[in-house]
């Protein structure tokens, strides 16, 4: 070895035997000069990660077609995503002139980009717009250059632009490692024919089964070496299963987990620690859980309690309330109508309490009429063939238009993949004449007698609306301009010559100069998040003293921002546009929200209802397909009742509602249920049964029927 640098060949007769000082496969030319340690199997380590993607497993590539939201409109007049168009195209934006120069070079009149629907443009022109002509850059190269530019990414500007540019991007697996994140040498190590990346791609449930059988595949010496390690792995997988996460794969990105899933992962780790004397605080841990999985979660919480810990849980779920030892009920209403303890005592005595929650728990009040007749639809049916997104098993699914249809199933069974990623995406692509995003074979029934059976499809999800600290309820509902106009018409405003622009906190005239109309001051904290404090000058009112001196019905514009939606309905009773928008907010159960509340303070459930109320305010009319993703998240029983009433009103007006939901009240009040499963992850993605709630309950197939 001294003379051969650690490699030797021994010839015995006609047979060659190779010996090395280091781990190696001389046949394939793979040689490790270092001793293999656990760090080599980590994609966060330079010893193990893929040299191409540095362990990320994917790359962001530009897919300009994603920016096209409506192929029925011209490129410069509505085809592009609204935010992208506003920032990059209109008013001499960064992309406007480069695209115009490209078109001029190729003899294509600029006006056609304002007149001809995008879908009717020549494919060659589209390619030039996006990718250039080999000499001049198109949108894709220009955006890529800006995205990679350090000069562009500055301060608050950077986060907004970064988010904006990602609208052009699609995430694709790294071509070098195919998403495995590790380098070829590390991927060559296998146990029972599977490398560590293959192990990580399995679900918790399937990996647990594999770990049980693994000792049978090992030699005696290997079995002895891994005994304790296997024991630890099985224990941790068991904890994940106990909190209802058996459908997750171990390579799932943390950023893709829901809030409830993140909480349950942390719970699983606490189970493993076996700590005692700990106070755990959980904020709606049942979010996204099917009732069957809720039972698993409650078992885990009780186990933590029995270890002599204390758990404080914020929840609306009926099963969780029933499992509690002690209940604190807040109220009596929401928003500024709440904030009081209306019950504080043992669960046993809660049934006799005179609170809104107690009335629902004991069945005195109900979220809807489960005994009503079920709608059969308007005769039109949209069918998606061979849906295969994520874990869907190539299923055919039909949606009856003119009904409330709810897709149910245990956690991870493929509900969102079917409803949001497939049905919504497919319908939107057809309506807006965009390139199909895939994940299904075909979509049928979108047209009848040459006419579309739906006018539009609207997704109402829990994703953040975005915006800055200046984004409030009145700006989102687009009633701020009307409110400012009301103040500009007051006597004092006319005398002083104030126009409506005086009453915006985004303008220089009327806002507080100390905080620039934000109402708060941001203090930079080294090594900590920035601290927000109320502006000392305006006391959080956003406006200067001269603007606040103008009153309407005795209130300044800052005082109006402090009104709740319900109070605003009466205050603006003679201003139809403002009043109607606020009435719709009240109907979806948001009457307690203040008019000036910042959008970044809304919960996921509130955001969905806020989006729904704005769609209602637009007066979309008939033939709209509304797609909702777990709209009851964070809702009290009484809020669910209001939501059910709004959904039925939508359908009674000729629209269709398609939902992903686990809430039993929603399921009972649907016209049609599609139950996916039977399990999560690889064990899901199939239709167990579909029919009316009564039919599912009678069939007793799957898990959902038990909770109807």
């Amino acid at each position: 070895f001294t003379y051969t640098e650690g490699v030797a060949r021994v010839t015995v007769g006609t047979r060659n035997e190779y010996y090395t000082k280091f781990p190696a496969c001389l046949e394939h030319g793979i040689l490790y000069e270092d001793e293999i340690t656990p760090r080599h199997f980590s994609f966060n380590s330079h010893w193990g990660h893929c040299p191409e993607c540095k362990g990320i497993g994917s790359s962001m590539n530009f897919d300009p077609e994603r920016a096209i939201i409506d192929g029925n409109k011209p490129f410069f007049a509505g085809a592009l995503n609204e935010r992208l168009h506003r920032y990059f195209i209109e008013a001499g934006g960064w992309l406007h002139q480069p695209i115009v120069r490209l078109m001029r070079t190729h003899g294509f009149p600029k006006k056609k980009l304002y007149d001809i629907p995008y879908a009717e443009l020549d494919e060659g022109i589209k390619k030039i717009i996006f990718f250039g002509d080999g000499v001049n850059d198109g949108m894709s190269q220009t955006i890529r250059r800006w995205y990679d530019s350090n000069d562009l990414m500055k301060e608050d500007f950077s986060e907004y632009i970064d988010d904006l540019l990602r609208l052009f991007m699609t995430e694709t697996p790294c071509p070098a490692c195919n998403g495995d994140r590790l380098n070829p040498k590390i991927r060559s190590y296998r146990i029972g024919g599977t490398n560590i990346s293959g192990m990580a791609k399995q679900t918790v449930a399937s990996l647990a089964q594999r770990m049980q059988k693994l000792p049978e595949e090992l030699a005696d010496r290997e079995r002895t070496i891994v005994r304790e390690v296997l024991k630890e792995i099985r224990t941790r997988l068991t904890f994940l299963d106990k909190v209802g996460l058996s459908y997750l794969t171990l390579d799932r990105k943390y950023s893709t987990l829901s809030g409830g899933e993140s909480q349950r992962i942390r719970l699983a780790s606490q189970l493993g620690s076996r700590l005692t004397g700990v106070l755990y605080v959980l904020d709606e841990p049942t979010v996204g859980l099917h009732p069957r999985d809720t039972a698993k979660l409650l078992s885990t919480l009780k186990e933590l309690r029995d270890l002599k810990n204390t758990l404080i849980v914020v929840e609306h779920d009926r099963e969780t309330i029933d499992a509690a030892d002690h209940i604190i009920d807040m109220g009596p209403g929401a928003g500024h109508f709440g904030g009081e303890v209306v019950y504080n005592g043992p669960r046993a005595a809660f049934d006799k309490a005179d609170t809104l929650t107690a009335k629902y728990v004991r069945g005195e009040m109900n979220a809807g009429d489960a005994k009503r007749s079920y709608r059969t639809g308007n005769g039109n049916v949209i069918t998606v063939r061979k849906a295969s997104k994520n874990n869907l098993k190539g299923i055919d699914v039909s949606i009856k238009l003119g009904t409330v249809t709810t897709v149910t199933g245990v956690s991870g069974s493929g509900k969102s993949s079917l409803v949001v990623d497939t049905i919504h995406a497919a319908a939107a692509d057809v309506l807006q004449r965009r390139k199909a995003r895939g994940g299904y074979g075909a979509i049928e029934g979108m047209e009848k007698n040459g006419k579309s059976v739906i006018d539009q499809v609207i997704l109402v999800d829990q994703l953040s609306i975005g915006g800055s600290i200046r984004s409030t309820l009145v700006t989102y509902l687009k009633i701020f301009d009307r409110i400012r106009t009301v103040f500009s018409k007051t006597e004092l405003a006319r005398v002083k010559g104030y126009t409506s622009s005086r009453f915006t906190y985004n303008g220089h005239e009327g806002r507080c100069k100390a905080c620039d109309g934000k109402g708060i001051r941001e203090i930079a904290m080294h090594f900590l998040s920035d601290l927000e404090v109320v502006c000392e000058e305006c006391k959080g009112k956003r406006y200067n003293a001269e603007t606040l001196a103008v009153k309407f019905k005795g209130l300044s514009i800052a005082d109006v921002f402090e009104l709740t939606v319900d109070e605003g309905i009466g205050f603006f009773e003679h201003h139809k546009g403002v009043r109607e928008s606020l009435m719709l907010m009240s109907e979806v159960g948001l009457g307690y929200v203040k008019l000036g509340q910042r959008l970044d303070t809304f919960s996921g459930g509130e955001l969905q209802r806020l989006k729904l109320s704005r769609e209602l305010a637009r007066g979309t009319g008939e033939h709209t397909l509304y797609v909702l993703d777990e709209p009851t998240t964070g809702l009290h029983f009484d809020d669910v009742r209001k939501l059910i009433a709004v959904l039925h009103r939508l359908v009674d007006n000729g629209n269709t509602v398609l939902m992903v939901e686990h809430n039993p009240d929603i399921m009972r009040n649907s016209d049609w249920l599609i139950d996916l499963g039977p399990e999560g992850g690889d064990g899901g993605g199939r239709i167990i049964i579909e029919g009316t709630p009564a039919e599912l309950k009678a069939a007793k197939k799957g898990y959902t029927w038990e909770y109807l």
Side-chain angles (χ1 to χ4, degrees):
F1 283 155
T2 302
Y3 297 103
T4 62
E5 298 183 349
V7 179
R9 183 185 69 187
V10 177
T11 303
V12 181
T14 59
R15 188 176 78 254
N16 292 325
E17 293 184 356
Y18 295 92
Y19 296 89
T20 67
K21 188 177 180 180
F22 312 104
C25 176
L26 299 182
E27 182 182 351
H28 295 92
I30 298 175
L31 173 67
Y32 293 103
E33 296 182 358
D34 300 320
E35 180 184 356
I36 297 300
T37 64
R39 67 187 179 185
H40 286 86
F41 294 91
S42 171
F43 50 76
N44 291 318
S45 163
H46 71 272
W47 286 283
H49 69 51
C50 167
E52 183 74 23
C53 66
K54 308 303 181 188
I56 296 175
S58 62
S59 58
M60 297 299 293
N61 297 301
F62 282 96
D63 181 7
E65 287 283 357
R66 289 190 58 179
I68 301 298
I69 63 170
D70 194 345
N72 295 308
K73 296 179 180 178
F75 183 80
F76 277 165
L80 276 176
N81 175 283
E82 182 181 349
R83 289 169 61 202
L84 281 167
H85 182 273
R86 184 171 65 247
Y87 199 85
F88 292 108
I89 301 297
E90 70 183 25
W94 297 348
L95 283 173
H96 187 270
Q97 287 306 316
I99 293 174
V100 170
R101 283 196 297 270
L102 265 174
M103 295 299 97
R104 190 179 295 127
T105 299
H106 292 273
F108 191 82
K110 179 181 72 172
K111 69 176 185 177
K112 287 191 176 182
L113 297 183
Y114 285 96
D115 299 334
I116 299 176
Y118 171 81
E120 296 177 11
L121 288 177
D122 181 78
E123 290 300 320
I125 292 297
K126 293 179 185 178
K127 188 174 181 179
I128 291 173
I129 290 174
F130 288 138
F131 301 106
D133 56 10
V135 178
N136 302 295
D137 287 345
M139 284 180 63
S140 182
Q141 296 98 326
T142 307
I143 292 289
R144 177 85 251 180
R145 189 170 62 252
W146 288 333
Y147 185 77
D148 293 336
S149 170
N150 290 326
D151 294 333
L152 179 67
M153 303 301 169
K154 294 179 180 177
E155 301 175 359
D156 297 338
F157 191 62
S158 63
E159 185 176 347
Y160 177 77
I161 295 297
D162 184 70
D163 177 56
L164 203 58
L165 297 184
R166 281 177 177 269
L167 291 172
F168 275 99
M169 292 177 161
T170 183
E171 190 172 17
T172 56
C174 170
C177 65
N178 197 31
D180 286 348
R181 301 183 176 214
L182 298 169
N183 62 50
K185 290 182 178 179
I186 298 303
R187 297 203 307 273
S188 68
Y189 280 84
R190 299 175 183 272
I191 298 177
T194 307
N195 62 23
I196 191 170
S197 298
M199 295 282 191
K201 291 180 184 298
Q202 298 182 45
T203 64
V204 169
S206 61
L207 187 59
Q209 293 177 357
R210 179 71 191 278
M211 292 298 104
Q212 289 292 340
K213 297 178 180 178
L214 187 60
E216 302 171 6
E217 305 173 15
L218 304 176
D220 291 342
R221 180 173 175 274
E222 295 172 329
R223 197 177 301 126
T224 302
I225 293 172
V226 303
R227 181 181 294 121
E228 291 303 316
V229 177
L230 275 180
K231 180 180 178 182
E232 187 68 22
I233 292 174
R234 289 179 192 136
T235 300
R236 291 170 185 260
L237 293 174
T238 299
F239 292 149
L240 287 170
D241 179 64
K242 281 187 175 182
V243 295
L245 295 176
S246 60
Y247 60 91
L248 290 182
T249 57
L250 296 191
D251 66 347
R252 174 85 170 262
K253 288 186 177 180
Y254 196 81
S255 60
T256 65
L257 299 174
S258 68
E261 287 171 335
S262 300
Q263 280 196 87
R264 281 175 272 147
I265 286 176
R266 293 195 292 272
L267 266 179
S269 67
Q270 291 302 314
L271 273 175
S273 68
R274 310 299 288 180
L275 294 175
T276 61
V278 178
L279 173 63
Y280 293 101
V281 180
L282 294 90
D283 189 10
E284 300 189 49
T286 67
V287 168
L289 279 186
H290 187 274
R292 185 205 67 167
D293 300 309
T294 299
K296 287 186 178 182
L297 174 64
L298 293 177
S299 175
T300 301
L301 299 184
K302 290 176 181 178
E303 188 173 339
L304 281 172
R305 176 201 62 190
D306 294 340
L307 287 171
K308 300 188 184 304
N309 296 303
T310 302
L311 290 86
I312 299 176
V313 184
V314 177
E315 262 299 349
H316 304 97
D317 177 69
R318 192 186 303 268
E319 289 181 76
T320 307
I321 293 173
D322 286 336
D325 301 306
H326 191 93
I327 291 178
I328 299 174
D329 195 14
M330 303 297 292
H336 80 288
F337 298 111
E340 298 178 20
V341 176
V342 293
Y343 177 84
N344 186 353
R347 169 68 185 91
F350 186 59
D351 287 336
K352 299 178 182 178
D354 188 26
T355 70
L356 190 61
T357 305
K359 291 177 181 177
Y360 276 98
V361 170
R362 63 175 174 257
E364 186 177 319
M365 296 182 69
N366 296 296
D369 180 15
K371 296 182 179 180
R372 62 179 180 79
S373 58
Y374 304 116
R375 302 181 186 88
T376 57
N378 58 20
N380 296 316
V381 177
I382 293 177
T383 301
V384 172
R385 302 286 184 189
K386 300 187 181 306
S388 57
K389 193 79 172 181
N390 299 326
N391 67 331
L392 297 177
K393 302 298 191 293
I395 57 177
D396 296 343
V397 182
S398 297
I399 305 300
K400 298 179 180 180
L401 300 187
T403 66
V404 175
T405 298
T406 300
V407 178
T408 65
V410 298
S411 304
S413 58
K415 300 181 297 298
S416 293
S417 297
L418 174 63
V419 173
V420 179
D421 299 337
T422 304
I423 298 176
H424 166 261
D429 290 342
V430 171
L431 286 175
Q432 295 163 6
R433 299 168 70 186
R434 294 186 305 210
K435 180 181 178 182
R437 282 171 269 190
Y440 62 96
I443 181 169
E444 303 170 356
M446 287 290 291
E447 290 189 359
K448 187 175 183 179
N449 299 325
K451 184 179 179 182
S452 178
V453 295
I454 57 173
D455 297 329
Q456 58 183 330
V457 55
I458 295 174
L459 174 62
V460 184
D461 57 21
Q462 297 178 33
L463 294 180
S464 172
I465 295 170
S468 66
I469 195 173
R470 301 180 184 277
S471 301
T472 60
L473 179 62
V474 292
T475 60
Y476 181 75
L477 294 179
K478 300 189 182 301
I479 58 175
F480 192 24
D481 291 347
R482 293 175 176 176
I483 293 175
R484 291 191 291 115
T485 300
V486 170
F487 275 87
S488 69
K489 291 181 178 180
T490 59
E491 184 176 351
L492 181 58
R494 291 201 302 269
V495 169
K496 293 195 172 187
Y498 293 164
T499 64
S500 62
S501 62
R502 175 84 191 195
F503 299 95
T504 174
Y505 47 74
N506 294 319
H508 296 285
E509 297 177 0
R511 73 186 184 189
C512 169
K513 292 183 179 179
C515 64
D516 291 331
K518 295 179 180 178
I520 62 166
R521 302 283 295 277
E522 294 176 308
I523 301 175
M525 304 291 287
H526 296 295
F527 309 113
L528 295 171
S529 300
D530 291 347
L531 181 66
E532 292 184 358
V533 296
V534 176
C535 174
E536 296 179 356
E537 185 73 23
C538 66
K539 309 301 181 187
K541 294 183 181 294
R542 296 178 178 251
Y543 294 91
N544 57 36
E546 292 79 6
T547 306
L548 294 174
V550 178
K551 304 288 180 71
F552 173 69
K553 291 187 177 182
L555 300 182
S556 68
I557 191 164
D559 295 330
V560 168
F561 286 165
E562 290 298 311
L563 296 176
T564 65
V565 167
D566 286 336
E567 291 171 337
I569 293 172
F571 188 78
F572 291 105
E573 59 181 332
H574 299 302
H575 298 83
K576 183 179 178 182
V578 177
R579 179 173 54 84
E580 288 184 349
S581 291
L582 297 180
M583 287 179 67
L584 290 169
M585 283 280 293
S586 182
E587 285 184 29
V588 297
L590 294 176
Y592 60 89
V593 175
K594 290 186 177 181
L595 301 187
Q597 182 169 330
R598 283 165 44 181
L599 295 183
D600 58 2
T601 65
F602 280 73
S603 68
E606 288 174 331
L607 283 175
Q608 271 205 98
R609 286 180 287 158
L610 177 58
K611 294 176 184 179
L612 190 59
S613 69
R614 192 169 82 161
E615 295 302 336
L616 289 170
R618 288 177 176 175
T620 53
E622 300 180 357
H623 311 308
T624 296
L625 172 60
Y626 290 94
V627 178
L628 291 84
D629 191 6
E630 298 189 32
T632 66
T633 298
L635 297 194
H636 183 272
F637 303 107
D638 204 51
D639 296 322
V640 174
R641 176 184 62 81
K642 295 175 182 177
L643 175 64
I644 289 172
V646 170
L647 298 180
H648 282 310
R649 195 182 90 184
L650 284 172
V651 177
D652 289 340
N653 288 339
N655 302 297
T656 302
V657 172
L658 174 62
M659 287 183 289
V660 172
E661 254 304 340
H662 305 100
N663 185 286
D665 290 320
I666 290 286
M667 292 190 285
R668 281 191 291 267
N669 283 275
S670 299
D671 299 308
W672 194 257
L673 298 177
I674 300 173
D675 195 30
L676 296 185
E679 300 295 339
D682 290 338
R686 298 180 178 85
I687 296 179
I688 305 286
I689 187 175
E690 56 182 317
T692 65
E695 289 171 346
L696 259 70
K697 187 175 180 180
K700 298 184 179 181
K701 292 181 66 176
Y703 297 105
T704 300
W705 70 269
E706 298 179 46
Y707 304 94
L708 289 171

